[in-house]
């Protein structure tokens, strides 16, 4: 190990937070988030040098009951860059013993004997909590059901805002899409609610607007928010546009369904009304939310956002292995 790399890892060891599992965004307070971001910054340096072999003795299982590209592969990339090894299934609902009726709990108990950590995407809300309740090794929630949580996505989203905007306090952000069941939007809102003077604009038709549990959380923390149907009214004042998908089946019964989809679509014309130092984010994959013509604009941050996921997930893995 090179001396510089050794010093960086020793810095991380001194600073490390204690995590048992990563289940929900609420478990992270602002000091923990700051420490995680410091570690992610060090992980970025290690990544750019090709990684480390410091965790060659660790094995991670990625157990995904729903298909995934970015989340699964960025976790596996993070583990490889740390020198660890991986066992993986990308659709455990069909290609594991679950297809014959095995319970999640039994699967987790067996994997406890095989690996050092489980990254779990459950197809039911609360699946990660169920797994953590019976697991002796760390469980990481990589998304649990529609309307559940995706805490590591929220952390990498916040890290992207931290890097691009330089501050989270005082942030103006528009969050658009299917907010009622959108686990990325829900989890990010939980984190944003921990900061000062944040203003959130929820952009969605009422049928799929942000659910009451999140709004009550914001009310309790005195976080300002407003519900709107179109992003056009706030483009000039927000620092971040956080765009998410709307599945057409969710609004098929609305008479203006096609118009709703069109209103969500970000084009080059929208850029003309945005601040020069604002950013557009998307947890991806995108369908009909952002024109590819926007990709070349410096404010299009979604591919940088995806890359940041590797650094944040490396930081989380290191923290959980301590």
């Amino acid at each position: 190990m090179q001396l510089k790399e050794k010093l960086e890892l020793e810095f991380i060891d001194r600073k490390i937070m204690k995590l048992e599992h990563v289940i929900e965004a609420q478990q992270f307070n602002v000091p923990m988030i700051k420490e995680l971001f410091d570690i992610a910054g060090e992980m970025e340096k290690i990544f750019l040098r090709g990684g480390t072999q410091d965790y060659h003795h660790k094995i991670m299982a990625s157990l995904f009951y729903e298909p995934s590209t970015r989340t699964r592969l960025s976790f596996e990339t993070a583990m490889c860059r740390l020198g660890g090894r991986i066992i993986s299934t990308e659709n455990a609902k069909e290609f594991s013993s679950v297809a014959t009726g095995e319970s999640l709990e039994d699967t987790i108990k067996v994997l406890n004997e095989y690996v050092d950590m489980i990254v779990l995407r459950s197809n039911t809300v609360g699946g990660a909590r169920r797994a953590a309740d019976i697991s002796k090794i760390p469980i990481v929630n990589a998304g649990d059901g529609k309307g559940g949580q995706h805490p590591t996505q929220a952390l990498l989203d916040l890290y992207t805002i931290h890097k691009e905007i330089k501050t989270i306090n005082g942030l103006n952000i528009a969050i658009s899409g299917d907010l009622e069941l959108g686990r990325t939007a829900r989890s990010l809102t939980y984190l944003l609610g921990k900061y000062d003077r944040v203003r959130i604009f929820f952009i969605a038709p009422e049928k799929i607007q942000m659910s009451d549990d999140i709004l009550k959380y914001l009310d309790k923390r005195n976080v300002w928010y407003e519900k709107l149907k179109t992003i056009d009214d706030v483009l000039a004042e927000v620092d971040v546009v956080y765009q998410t998908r709307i599945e057409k089946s969710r609004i098929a019964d609305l008479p203006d369904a096609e118009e709703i989809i069109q209103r969500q679509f970000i084009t080059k014309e929208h850029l003309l009304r945005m601040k020069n130092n604002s950013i557009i984010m998307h947890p991806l994959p995108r369908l009909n939310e952002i024109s590819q013509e926007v990709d070349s604009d410096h404010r299009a941050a979604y591919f940088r956002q995806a890359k940041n996921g590797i650094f944040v997930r490396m930081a989380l893995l290191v923290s959980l292995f301590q």
Side-chain angles (χ1 to χ4, degrees):
M1 183 185 298
Q2 296 179 358
L3 177 60
K4 185 177 181 182
E5 180 179 317
K6 184 174 186 296
L7 290 174
E8 285 169 353
L9 290 172
E10 286 177 353
F11 161 81
I12 293 166
D13 287 340
R14 290 196 305 271
K15 195 173 178 59
I16 209 76
M17 71 186 80
K18 179 59 180 174
L19 289 176
E20 184 178 2
H21 305 286
V22 176
I23 304 302
E24 57 188 10
Q26 298 96 303
Q27 74 185 80
F28 292 88
N29 57 36
V30 172
M32 290 174 69
I33 294 169
K34 182 181 184 304
E35 182 172 335
L36 180 71
F37 289 178
D38 288 344
I39 298 169
E42 297 302 316
M43 290 293 105
E44 185 167 357
K45 297 175 186 176
I46 291 172
F47 173 90
L48 291 174
R49 288 205 308 276
T52 177
Q53 291 299 310
D54 207 54
Y55 294 87
H56 65 91
H57 58 297
K58 297 292 187 182
I59 301 175
M60 179 190 85
S62 52
L63 179 64
F64 279 61
Y65 288 84
E66 293 179 340
S68 169
T69 302
R70 275 148 298 277
T71 301
R72 183 174 65 86
L73 294 182
S74 67
F75 263 115
E76 294 181 1
T77 300
M79 188 63 174
C80 288
R81 295 297 187 183
L82 292 171
R85 291 168 287 175
I86 301 156
I87 61 173
S88 177
T89 176
E90 63 179 327
N91 194 352
K93 187 177 179 180
E94 296 183 20
F95 301 111
S96 77
S97 294
V98 170
T100 64
E102 182 174 60
S103 69
L104 172 66
E105 285 78 5
D106 281 0
T107 301
I108 296 300
K109 287 176 182 177
V110 169
L111 286 178
N112 266 241
E113 308 303 324
Y114 294 171
V115 299
D116 303 291
M117 178 186 300
I118 301 170
V119 176
L120 171 67
R121 171 162 289 184
S122 171
N123 58 339
T124 58
V125 175
R129 172 58 63 191
R130 284 169 52 202
D133 286 345
I134 53 94
S135 181
K136 298 178 292 185
I137 63 175
I139 299 291
V140 181
N141 181 359
D144 61 342
K146 294 184 182 297
Q149 284 227 27
H150 199 342
T152 69
Q153 178 70 48
L155 288 166
L156 77 88
D157 292 340
L158 203 68
Y159 183 65
T160 300
I161 295 170
H162 165 74
K163 286 181 67 176
E164 301 262 344
I165 305 296
K166 309 304 181 187
T167 184
I168 301 169
N169 291 321
L171 184 77
N172 293 330
I173 180 170
I175 304 179
S176 177
D178 185 348
L179 307 184
E180 181 187 31
L181 298 183
R183 57 195 175 202
T184 61
R186 289 170 55 83
S187 297
L188 178 59
T189 302
Y190 272 123
L191 294 184
L192 291 171
K194 299 175 184 293
Y195 289 84
D196 297 328
R197 306 182 316 282
V198 170
R199 299 170 73 235
I200 306 174
F201 299 93
F202 293 120
I203 316 295
E206 192 58 39
K207 182 179 179 180
I208 54 174
Q209 256 293 357
M210 186 58 78
S211 52
D212 286 344
D213 62 325
I214 300 292
L215 300 182
K216 289 177 181 177
Y217 165 82
L218 295 178
D219 289 336
K220 186 176 180 180
R221 300 186 69 89
N222 295 315
V223 178
W224 187 97
Y225 64 87
E226 183 177 359
K227 296 192 293 182
L228 300 171
K229 291 184 178 180
T230 175
I231 202 168
D232 292 343
D233 297 335
V234 296
L235 275 176
E237 61 181 292
V238 296
D239 306 298
V240 177
V241 173
Y242 188 85
Q243 194 79 348
T244 67
R245 284 179 294 163
I246 295 180
E247 296 179 11
K248 289 186 178 181
S249 60
R250 292 272 291 141
I251 59 171
D253 60 335
L254 298 180
D256 59 343
E258 288 300 324
E259 182 182 341
I260 289 170
I261 296 294
Q262 194 61 37
R263 284 203 305 261
Q264 300 288 331
F265 189 59
I266 299 293
T267 67
K268 289 182 70 174
E269 285 68 34
H270 289 90
L271 298 174
L272 299 175
R273 286 173 274 162
M274 294 179 62
K275 294 190 291 187
N276 187 56
N277 60 347
S278 61
I279 58 172
I280 302 171
M281 299 175 64
H282 194 305
L284 302 178
R286 64 175 165 183
L287 298 176
N288 299 308
E289 303 87 37
I290 303 174
S291 168
Q292 291 188 1
E293 293 180 332
V294 174
D295 294 357
S296 59
D297 192 277
H298 68 277
R299 289 165 291 188
Y302 28 91
F303 293 117
R304 300 191 296 272
Q305 176 186 354
K307 185 175 183 179
N308 287 334
I310 299 173
F311 314 137
V312 170
R313 286 166 175 145
M314 286 175 71
L316 287 168
L317 295 180
V318 167
S319 302
L320 287 161
F321 281 140
Q322 300 306 305

